[in-house]
Amino acid sequence: PGVVSISATGLVTANANTYTFTVTNVSGCTSPSSANIVVNAQPSAPSAPTVGSIIQPTCTTATGSFQITGYNAANTYT
């Protein structure tokens, strides 16, 4: 019930669960079960970034800056 689809090339799209598969040929013979295939749950999305202090440009400095609260260098920010 967790399998969403099986493509013509054999790509299986499935929800998180543990699965085994068998194959039955046109003669009705069925293979032994495959090893367990584990599809992990979808990872959670990170929280939205929030802005900390903001420094605006001045008469002598043309650029401004801002701080990302909770910045994590392991993540990619765009």
Side-chain angles (χ1 to χ4, degrees):
V3 172
V4 176
S5 66
I6 302 175
S7 75
T9 60
L11 177 65
V12 178
T13 303
N15 295 314
N17 209 335
T18 300
Y19 300 90
T20 59
F21 289 93
T22 60
V23 61
T24 303
N25 65 17
V26 293
S27 299
C29 300
T30 301
S31 71
S33 295
S34 68
N36 283 347
I37 300 124
V38 177
V39 176
N40 295 329
Q42 180 180 15
S44 60
S47 300
T50 55
V51 176
S53 61
I54 301 170
I55 299 172
Q56 299 295 343
T58 66
C59 295
T60 57
T61 304
T63 58
S65 63
F66 60 91
Q67 180 72 37
I68 298 172
T69 304
Y71 177 78
N72 182 339
N75 294 329
T76 301
Y77 294 81
T78 56

